Coordinates of all heavy atoms in Angstrom, one line a residue:
M1 N -11.9 173.2 84.6 CA -11.2 174.3 85.1 C -9.9 173.8 85.8 O -10.0 173.0 86.8 CB -12.1 175.1 86.0 CG -13.3 175.7 85.3 SD -14.3 176.7 86.4 CE -15.1 175.5 87.3
H2 N -8.8 174.2 85.3 CA -7.5 173.7 85.9 C -6.8 174.8 86.6 O -6.4 175.8 86.0 CB -6.7 173.1 84.8 CG -5.4 172.5 85.3 ND1 -5.4 171.3 85.9 CD2 -4.1 172.9 85.2 CE1 -4.2 171.0 86.2 NE2 -3.4 171.9 85.8
P3 N -6.5 174.6 88.0 CA -5.7 175.7 88.7 C -4.3 175.7 88.3 O -3.7 174.6 88.2 CB -6.0 175.3 90.1 CG -6.2 173.8 90.2 CD -6.9 173.5 88.8
V4 N -3.7 176.9 88.2 CA -2.3 177.1 87.9 C -1.7 178.2 88.7 O -2.4 179.3 88.7 CB -2.1 177.4 86.3 CG1 -0.6 177.6 86.0 CG2 -2.7 176.3 85.5
D5 N -0.6 178.0 89.3 CA 0.1 179.2 90.0 C 1.3 179.6 89.1 O 2.1 178.7 88.7 CB 0.5 178.7 91.4 CG -0.6 178.5 92.3 OD1 -1.7 179.1 92.1 OD2 -0.4 177.7 93.3
V6 N 1.4 180.9 88.9 CA 2.5 181.4 88.1 C 3.0 182.6 88.9 O 2.4 183.6 89.0 CB 2.1 182.0 86.8 CG1 3.2 182.5 86.0 CG2 1.3 180.9 85.9
G7 N 4.2 182.3 89.7 CA 4.6 183.3 90.6 C 3.6 183.6 91.7 O 3.1 182.6 92.3
E8 N 3.2 184.8 91.8 CA 2.2 185.1 92.9 C 0.8 185.0 92.3 O -0.2 185.1 93.1 CB 2.5 186.6 93.3 CG 3.8 186.9 94.0 CD 3.8 186.2 95.4 OE1 2.9 186.4 96.1 OE2 4.8 185.5 95.6
K9 N 0.7 184.9 91.0 CA -0.6 184.8 90.4 C -1.3 183.5 90.5 O -0.7 182.4 90.2 CB -0.5 185.2 88.9 CG -0.2 186.7 88.8 CD -0.5 187.1 87.3 CE -0.3 188.6 87.1 NZ -1.4 189.3 87.7
R10 N -2.6 183.5 90.9 CA -3.3 182.2 90.9 C -4.3 182.3 89.9 O -5.3 183.0 89.9 CB -4.0 182.1 92.4 CG -2.9 182.0 93.4 CD -3.5 181.6 94.7 NE -4.1 182.8 95.4 CZ -4.8 182.8 96.5 NH1 -5.0 181.7 97.1 NH2 -5.3 183.9 96.9
L11 N -4.1 181.5 88.8 CA -4.9 181.5 87.6 C -5.7 180.2 87.5 O -5.4 179.2 88.2 CB -4.0 181.6 86.4 CG -2.9 182.7 86.4 CD1 -2.1 182.7 85.1 CD2 -3.6 184.1 86.6
M12 N -6.5 180.2 86.5 CA -7.2 178.9 86.1 C -7.2 178.9 84.6 O -7.4 180.0 83.9 CB -8.5 178.6 86.7 CG -9.6 179.6 86.4 SD -11.1 179.2 87.2 CE -12.2 180.4 86.6
I13 N -7.0 177.7 84.0 CA -7.2 177.5 82.6 C -8.5 176.8 82.4 O -8.8 175.8 83.1 CB -6.0 176.6 82.0 CG1 -4.7 177.2 82.3 CG2 -6.2 176.5 80.5 CD1 -4.4 178.6 81.8
V14 N -9.3 177.3 81.5 CA -10.7 176.8 81.4 C -10.9 176.3 80.0 O -10.6 177.0 79.0 CB -11.8 178.0 81.7 CG1 -13.2 177.4 81.6 CG2 -11.5 178.6 83.0
N15 N -11.3 175.0 79.9 CA -11.6 174.4 78.7 C -13.1 174.4 78.4 O -13.9 173.8 79.1 CB -11.1 173.0 78.7 CG -11.4 172.2 77.4 OD1 -12.1 172.6 76.5 ND2 -10.7 171.1 77.3
V16 N -13.5 175.2 77.4 CA -15.0 175.2 77.1 C -15.1 174.6 75.7 O -14.8 175.3 74.6 CB -15.5 176.7 77.0 CG1 -17.0 176.8 76.6 CG2 -15.3 177.4 78.4
N17 N -15.5 173.4 75.6 CA -15.6 172.7 74.4 C -14.4 172.8 73.4 O -14.6 173.0 72.3 CB -16.9 173.2 73.6 CG -18.1 172.9 74.5 OD1 -18.3 171.9 75.1 ND2 -19.1 173.8 74.5
G18 N -13.2 172.7 74.0 CA -12.0 172.7 73.2 C -11.4 174.1 73.0 O -10.3 174.2 72.5
Q19 N -12.1 175.1 73.4 CA -11.6 176.5 73.4 C -11.1 176.8 74.9 O -11.7 176.5 75.8 CB -12.7 177.5 73.1 CG -13.1 177.5 71.7 CD -12.1 178.0 70.7 OE1 -11.4 179.0 71.0 NE2 -11.9 177.3 69.6
F20 N -9.8 177.3 74.9 CA -9.2 177.5 76.2 C -9.2 178.9 76.5 O -8.9 179.9 75.7 CB -7.8 176.9 76.2 CG -7.8 175.4 76.1 CD1 -7.9 174.7 74.9 CD2 -7.7 174.7 77.3 CE1 -7.9 173.4 74.9 CE2 -7.7 173.3 77.3 CZ -7.8 172.6 76.1
Y21 N -9.3 179.2 77.8 CA -9.3 180.6 78.4 C -8.5 180.6 79.6 O -8.5 179.6 80.4 CB -10.8 181.2 78.6 CG -11.6 181.1 77.4 CD1 -12.4 180.0 77.2 CD2 -11.6 182.1 76.4 CE1 -13.2 179.9 76.0 CE2 -12.4 182.1 75.3 CZ -13.2 181.0 75.1 OH -13.9 180.9 74.0
A22 N -7.9 181.8 79.9 CA -7.1 181.9 81.2 C -7.7 183.1 82.0 O -7.9 184.2 81.4 CB -5.7 182.2 80.9
T23 N -7.9 182.9 83.2 CA -8.5 184.0 84.1 C -7.8 183.9 85.5 O -7.3 182.8 85.8 CB -10.0 183.9 84.3 OG1 -10.3 182.8 85.2 CG2 -10.7 183.8 83.0
D24 N -7.9 185.0 86.3 CA -7.6 184.8 87.7 C -8.6 183.8 88.2 O -9.7 183.6 87.7 CB -7.8 186.1 88.4 CG -6.6 187.1 88.2 OD1 -5.6 186.6 87.9 OD2 -6.9 188.3 88.5
R25 N -8.2 183.1 89.3 CA -9.1 182.1 89.8 C -9.7 182.4 91.1 O -10.6 181.7 91.7 CB -8.5 180.7 89.8 CG -7.6 180.4 90.9 CD -7.3 178.9 90.9 NE -6.4 178.5 92.0 CZ -5.1 178.4 92.0 NH1 -4.4 178.8 90.9 NH2 -4.4 178.0 93.1
I26 N -9.3 183.5 91.8 CA -9.8 184.0 93.0 C -10.9 184.9 92.8 O -10.7 186.0 92.0 CB -8.7 184.6 93.9 CG1 -7.6 183.6 94.1 CG2 -9.3 185.1 95.2 CD1 -8.0 182.3 94.7
C27 N -12.1 184.6 93.3 CA -13.3 185.4 93.1 C -13.0 186.9 93.5 O -12.3 187.1 94.5 CB -14.4 184.9 93.9 SG -15.9 185.7 93.7
T28 N -13.5 187.8 92.8 CA -13.3 189.3 93.1 C -14.2 189.7 94.3 O -14.0 190.8 94.7 CB -13.6 190.2 91.9 OG1 -15.0 190.0 91.5 CG2 -12.7 189.8 90.7
H29 N -15.1 188.9 94.7 CA -16.0 189.3 95.8 C -15.2 189.0 97.2 O -15.0 189.9 98.0 CB -17.3 188.5 95.8 CG -18.2 188.8 97.0 ND1 -18.7 187.8 97.8 CD2 -18.6 190.0 97.4 CE1 -19.5 188.3 98.7 NE2 -19.4 189.7 98.5
E30 N -14.8 187.7 97.4 CA -14.0 187.4 98.5 C -12.9 186.4 98.1 O -12.5 186.4 96.9 CB -14.9 186.8 99.7 CG -15.7 187.9 100.3 CD -16.5 187.5 101.5 OE1 -16.5 186.3 101.9 OE2 -17.3 188.3 101.9
E31 N -12.5 185.5 98.9 CA -11.3 184.7 98.6 C -11.6 183.3 98.1 O -10.8 182.4 98.2 CB -10.4 184.6 99.8 CG -9.6 185.8 100.1 CD -8.5 186.1 99.0 OE1 -7.7 185.1 98.7 OE2 -8.4 187.2 98.5
A32 N -12.7 183.0 97.5 CA -13.1 181.7 97.0 C -12.3 181.3 95.7 O -12.0 182.2 94.9 CB -14.5 181.6 96.7
D33 N -11.9 180.1 95.6 CA -11.3 179.6 94.5 C -12.2 179.2 93.4 O -13.0 178.2 93.6 CB -10.4 178.4 94.9 CG -9.6 177.8 93.8 OD1 -9.9 178.0 92.6 OD2 -8.6 177.1 94.1
L34 N -12.3 179.9 92.3 CA -13.4 179.6 91.3 C -13.2 178.3 90.6 O -14.1 177.8 90.0 CB -13.3 180.8 90.3 CG -13.8 182.2 90.9 CD1 -13.6 183.2 89.8 CD2 -15.3 182.1 91.2
S35 N -11.9 177.8 90.6 CA -11.7 176.5 89.9 C -12.4 175.4 90.6 O -12.5 174.3 90.0 CB -10.2 176.2 89.7 OG -9.6 175.9 91.0
T36 N -12.9 175.6 91.8 CA -13.7 174.6 92.5 C -15.2 174.9 92.4 O -16.0 174.2 93.0 CB -13.3 174.5 94.0 OG1 -13.7 175.8 94.7 CG2 -11.8 174.2 94.2
G37 N -15.5 175.9 91.5 CA -16.9 176.2 91.3 C -17.5 175.4 90.2 O -17.1 174.2 89.9
F38 N -18.4 176.0 89.5 CA -19.2 175.3 88.5 C -19.1 175.9 87.2 O -19.3 177.2 87.1 CB -20.7 175.2 88.9 CG -20.9 174.7 90.3 CD1 -21.0 175.7 91.4 CD2 -20.8 173.4 90.7 CE1 -21.1 175.2 92.7 CE2 -21.0 173.0 92.0 CZ -21.1 173.9 93.0
L39 N -18.9 175.2 86.1 CA -18.8 175.8 84.8 C -20.0 175.4 84.0 O -20.3 174.2 83.8 CB -17.5 175.3 84.1 CG -17.2 175.9 82.7 CD1 -16.9 177.4 82.9 CD2 -16.1 175.2 82.0
T40 N -20.7 176.4 83.4 CA -21.8 176.1 82.5 C -21.6 177.0 81.3 O -21.7 178.2 81.3 CB -23.1 176.6 83.2 OG1 -23.3 175.9 84.4 CG2 -24.3 176.2 82.4
G41 N -21.3 176.3 80.2 CA -20.9 177.1 79.0 C -19.7 177.9 79.2 O -18.6 177.4 79.8
T42 N -19.7 179.2 79.1 CA -18.6 180.1 79.4 C -18.7 180.7 80.7 O -17.9 181.7 81.0 CB -18.3 181.1 78.3 OG1 -19.4 182.0 78.3 CG2 -18.1 180.5 76.9
F43 N -19.7 180.3 81.5 CA -19.9 181.0 82.8 C -19.5 180.1 84.0 O -19.8 179.0 84.1 CB -21.4 181.3 82.9 CG -21.9 182.2 81.9 CD1 -22.8 181.8 80.9 CD2 -21.5 183.5 81.9 CE1 -23.2 182.6 79.9 CE2 -22.0 184.4 80.9 CZ -22.8 183.9 79.9
V44 N -18.6 180.7 84.8 CA -18.2 180.0 86.0 C -19.0 180.7 87.2 O -19.1 181.8 87.3 CB -16.7 180.2 86.2 CG1 -16.2 181.6 86.4 CG2 -16.3 179.4 87.5
T45 N -19.5 179.8 88.0 CA -20.2 180.2 89.2 C -19.3 180.0 90.5 O -18.8 178.8 90.6 CB -21.5 179.4 89.4 OG1 -22.3 179.6 88.2 CG2 -22.3 179.8 90.6
C46 N -19.2 181.0 91.3 CA -18.4 180.9 92.4 C -19.1 179.9 93.5 O -20.3 179.9 93.7 CB -18.2 182.3 93.1 SG -17.4 182.3 94.6
P47 N -18.2 179.0 94.1 CA -18.8 178.1 95.0 C -19.2 178.7 96.3 O -19.9 178.0 97.1 CB -17.7 177.1 95.2 CG -16.4 177.8 95.0 CD -16.8 178.9 93.9
L48 N -18.8 179.9 96.6 CA -19.1 180.4 98.0 C -20.4 181.3 98.0 O -21.3 180.9 98.8 CB -17.9 181.3 98.4 CG -17.9 181.7 99.9 CD1 -18.0 180.5 100.8 CD2 -16.6 182.5 100.2
H49 N -20.5 182.3 97.2 CA -21.8 183.1 97.2 C -22.5 183.1 95.8 O -23.4 183.9 95.6 CB -21.5 184.5 97.7 CG -20.8 184.6 98.9 ND1 -19.5 185.1 99.1 CD2 -21.1 184.1 100.2 CE1 -19.1 185.0 100.4 NE2 -20.1 184.4 101.0
L50 N -22.0 182.3 94.9 CA -22.7 182.1 93.6 C -22.7 183.2 92.7 O -23.5 183.3 91.8 CB -24.2 181.6 93.8 CG -24.3 180.4 94.8 CD1 -25.8 180.0 95.0 CD2 -23.6 179.2 94.2
S51 N -21.7 184.1 92.8 CA -21.5 185.1 91.7 C -21.2 184.3 90.4 O -20.6 183.2 90.5 CB -20.4 186.1 92.0 OG -20.8 187.1 92.9
R52 N -21.5 184.9 89.3 CA -21.2 184.3 88.1 C -20.4 185.2 87.1 O -20.8 186.4 87.0 CB -22.5 183.8 87.4 CG -22.3 182.8 86.3 CD -23.6 182.2 85.9 NE -24.4 183.1 85.2 CZ -25.3 182.6 84.3 NH1 -25.5 181.4 84.0 NH2 -26.0 183.5 83.6
F53 N -19.4 184.7 86.5 CA -18.5 185.4 85.6 C -18.4 184.7 84.3 O -18.4 183.5 84.2 CB -17.1 185.5 86.2 CG -16.9 186.0 87.6 CD1 -17.1 185.3 88.7 CD2 -16.6 187.4 87.7 CE1 -16.9 185.8 90.0 CE2 -16.5 188.0 89.0 CZ -16.7 187.2 90.1
D54 N -18.3 185.6 83.2 CA -18.0 185.0 81.9 C -16.5 184.9 81.7 O -15.8 185.9 81.9 CB -18.5 186.0 80.8 CG -18.4 185.5 79.5 OD1 -17.6 184.5 79.2 OD2 -19.1 186.0 78.5
V55 N -16.0 183.7 81.5 CA -14.6 183.4 81.5 C -14.0 184.0 80.2 O -12.7 184.2 80.1 CB -14.2 182.0 81.6 CG1 -14.6 181.4 83.0 CG2 -14.7 181.1 80.4
V56 N -14.7 184.4 79.2 CA -14.2 185.0 78.0 C -13.9 186.5 78.2 O -12.9 187.0 77.9 CB -15.3 184.8 76.8 CG1 -14.7 185.5 75.5 CG2 -15.5 183.3 76.6
S57 N -14.9 187.2 78.8 CA -14.7 188.6 78.9 C -14.3 189.0 80.4 O -13.8 190.1 80.7 CB -16.0 189.4 78.6 OG -17.0 189.0 79.5
G58 N -14.6 188.1 81.3 CA -14.4 188.4 82.8 C -15.6 189.2 83.3 O -15.6 189.4 84.6
E59 N -16.5 189.6 82.6 CA -17.7 190.3 83.1 C -18.5 189.5 84.2 O -18.6 188.4 84.1 CB -18.7 190.7 81.9 CG -18.1 191.7 81.0 CD -19.0 192.0 79.9 OE1 -20.2 191.6 79.9 OE2 -18.6 192.8 79.0
V60 N -18.9 190.3 85.1 CA -19.8 189.8 86.2 C -21.3 189.6 85.6 O -21.8 190.5 85.0 CB -19.9 190.7 87.4 CG1 -20.8 190.1 88.4 CG2 -18.5 190.9 88.0
Q61 N -21.8 188.4 85.8 CA -23.2 188.2 85.3 C -24.2 188.2 86.5 O -25.3 188.5 86.3 CB -23.3 186.8 84.6 CG -22.3 186.7 83.4 CD -22.7 187.7 82.3 OE1 -23.9 187.8 81.9 NE2 -21.7 188.4 81.7
N62 N -23.7 187.8 87.6 CA -24.5 187.7 88.8 C -23.8 188.3 90.0 O -22.7 187.9 90.2 CB -25.0 186.3 89.2 CG -26.0 185.7 88.3 OD1 -26.5 186.4 87.4 ND2 -26.4 184.5 88.6
A63 N -24.5 189.1 90.8 CA -23.9 189.6 92.1 C -23.9 188.4 93.1 O -24.4 187.4 92.8 CB -24.9 190.7 92.7
P64 N -23.1 188.5 94.2 CA -22.7 189.8 94.8 C -21.4 190.4 94.3 O -21.2 191.6 94.6 CB -22.6 189.4 96.3 CG -22.2 188.0 96.3 CD -23.0 187.4 95.1
A65 N -20.6 189.7 93.5 CA -19.4 190.3 93.0 C -19.8 191.4 92.1 O -20.8 191.4 91.4 CB -18.6 189.3 92.2
S66 N -18.9 192.5 92.0 CA -19.3 193.6 91.1 C -18.0 193.9 90.2 O -18.1 194.6 89.3 CB -19.7 194.9 91.9 OG -18.7 195.2 92.8
V67 N -16.9 193.4 90.6 CA -15.6 193.7 89.9 C -15.4 192.5 89.0 O -15.4 191.3 89.3 CB -14.4 193.8 90.9 CG1 -13.1 194.0 90.1 CG2 -14.7 194.9 91.9
P68 N -15.1 192.8 87.6 CA -14.8 191.8 86.7 C -13.6 190.9 87.0 O -12.8 191.4 87.7 CB -14.6 192.5 85.4 CG -15.1 193.9 85.6 CD -15.1 194.2 87.1
L69 N -13.7 189.7 86.5 CA -12.5 188.9 86.7 C -11.5 189.2 85.6 O -11.8 189.4 84.4 CB -13.1 187.4 86.4 CG -12.3 186.2 86.9 CD1 -12.1 186.2 88.4 CD2 -13.0 184.9 86.4
K70 N -10.2 189.2 86.0 CA -9.2 189.5 85.0 C -9.0 188.3 84.1 O -8.9 187.2 84.6 CB -7.9 189.8 85.8 CG -6.8 190.4 84.8 CD -5.7 191.1 85.6 CE -4.8 191.7 84.5 NZ -3.7 192.4 85.1
T71 N -8.9 188.6 82.8 CA -8.6 187.6 81.8 C -7.2 187.8 81.2 O -6.7 188.9 81.2 CB -9.7 187.5 80.8 OG1 -9.7 188.8 80.1 CG2 -11.1 187.3 81.4
Y72 N -6.7 186.7 80.6 CA -5.3 186.7 80.0 C -5.4 186.1 78.6 O -6.1 185.2 78.4 CB -4.4 186.0 80.9 CG -4.3 186.5 82.3 CD1 -5.1 186.1 83.3 CD2 -3.4 187.6 82.6 CE1 -5.1 186.6 84.6 CE2 -3.3 188.1 83.9 CZ -4.2 187.6 84.9 OH -4.1 188.1 86.2
G73 N -4.6 186.7 77.7 CA -4.4 186.0 76.4 C -3.7 184.6 76.6 O -2.9 184.4 77.6
L74 N -4.0 183.7 75.7 CA -3.5 182.4 75.9 C -3.2 181.8 74.5 O -3.9 182.1 73.6 CB -4.6 181.6 76.6 CG -4.4 180.1 76.8 CD1 -5.2 179.7 78.1 CD2 -5.0 179.3 75.6
K75 N -2.2 181.1 74.4 CA -2.0 180.3 73.1 C -1.5 178.9 73.5 O -0.8 178.7 74.5 CB -1.0 181.0 72.2 CG 0.4 180.9 72.4 CD 1.3 181.5 71.4 CE 2.7 181.4 71.7 NZ 3.6 182.1 70.8
I76 N -1.7 178.0 72.6 CA -1.4 176.6 72.8 C -0.4 176.2 71.6 O -0.7 176.4 70.5 CB -2.7 175.6 72.8 CG1 -3.5 176.1 74.0 CG2 -2.3 174.2 72.8 CD1 -4.8 175.4 74.1
E77 N 0.7 175.5 72.0 CA 1.6 175.0 71.1 C 1.9 173.6 71.4 O 2.5 173.4 72.5 CB 3.0 175.8 71.0 CG 2.8 177.2 70.4 CD 4.1 178.0 70.3 OE1 5.1 177.4 70.6 OE2 4.0 179.1 69.9
G78 N 1.4 172.7 70.6 CA 1.6 171.3 71.0 C 0.9 171.0 72.3 O -0.3 171.2 72.4
T79 N 1.6 170.5 73.3 CA 1.0 170.2 74.6 C 1.3 171.3 75.6 O 0.9 171.1 76.8 CB 1.5 168.8 75.1 OG1 2.9 168.9 75.2 CG2 1.1 167.7 74.2
S80 N 1.8 172.4 75.2 CA 2.1 173.5 76.1 C 1.1 174.6 76.0 O 0.6 174.9 74.9 CB 3.5 174.0 75.8 OG 4.6 173.1 76.0
V81 N 0.8 175.2 77.1 CA -0.1 176.4 77.2 C 0.6 177.6 77.7 O 1.3 177.5 78.7 CB -1.3 176.0 78.2 CG1 -2.2 177.3 78.3 CG2 -2.1 174.8 77.7
Y82 N 0.6 178.6 76.8 CA 1.3 179.9 77.2 C 0.3 180.9 77.6 O -0.7 181.2 76.8 CB 2.2 180.4 76.0 CG 3.3 179.4 75.7 CD1 3.1 178.4 74.8 CD2 4.5 179.5 76.4 CE1 4.1 177.5 74.5 CE2 5.6 178.6 76.1 CZ 5.3 177.6 75.2 OH 6.3 176.7 74.9
V83 N 0.4 181.6 78.7 CA -0.4 182.6 79.1 C 0.3 184.0 79.1 O 1.4 184.1 79.6 CB -1.0 182.4 80.6 CG1 -1.9 183.5 81.0 CG2 -1.7 181.1 80.6
Q84 N -0.3 185.0 78.5 CA 0.3 186.3 78.5 C -0.1 187.1 79.7 O -1.3 187.4 79.9 CB -0.2 187.1 77.2 CG 0.4 188.4 77.0 CD 0.0 189.0 75.7 OE1 -1.0 188.7 75.1 NE2 0.8 190.0 75.2
L85 N 0.8 187.3 80.6 CA 0.5 187.9 81.9 C 0.7 189.5 81.8 O 1.3 190.1 81.5 CB 1.4 187.4 83.0 CG 1.2 185.9 83.3 CD1 2.2 185.4 84.3 CD2 -0.2 185.7 83.8
Ligands
FES101 S1 -16.6 184.8 97.2 FE1 -17.3 184.5 95.2 S2 -19.3 185.4 95.3 FE2 -18.5 185.6 97.3

């Protein structure tokens, strides 16, 4: 999970076995940085209260968070990563 700032947005690029995904990186529960959490398959676990989100859909898998994570379209050209904001 790689943190990226784009203007005011705090995103992370997630590499899941060579498939890349872009999501917000601030947990929807409080202000934890998800890029410092744990990735298991497509699920990121928040380091603060252990909510779990699917980085593909943004859906919450485990409370206490209840609001999905925002996800973004992404494409890779050569060594550049483009995120559709
Ligand atoms: S800040 Fe992420 S679960 Fe609470």
Side-chain angles (χ1 to χ4, degrees):
M1 297 181 284
H2 184 73
V4 178
D5 290 336
V6 181
E8 298 289 310
K9 290 193 173 290
R10 295 189 285 173
L11 311 177
M12 63 180 181
I13 307 298
V14 184
N15 180 348
V16 180
N17 298 322
Q19 290 289 318
F20 290 84
Y21 303 94
T23 73
D24 281 341
R25 75 169 188 270
I26 302 305
C27 184
T28 62
H29 179 234
E30 289 183 3
E31 284 290 312
D33 184 338
L34 294 171
S35 71
T36 64
F38 312 95
L39 184 67
T40 305
T42 63
F43 299 109
V44 61
T45 301
C46 178
L48 193 52
H49 306 117
L50 306 179
S51 283
R52 197 164 75 151
F53 301 89
D54 186 341
V55 298
V56 178
S57 65
E59 289 179 6
V60 177
Q61 302 294 313
N62 280 5
S66 59
V67 176
L69 200 59
K70 189 162 185 180
T71 61
Y72 301 89
L74 176 152
K75 81 174 175 183
I76 296 175
E77 288 183 6
T79 58
S80 297
V81 176
Y82 295 90
V83 176
Q84 184 175 19
L85 296 177

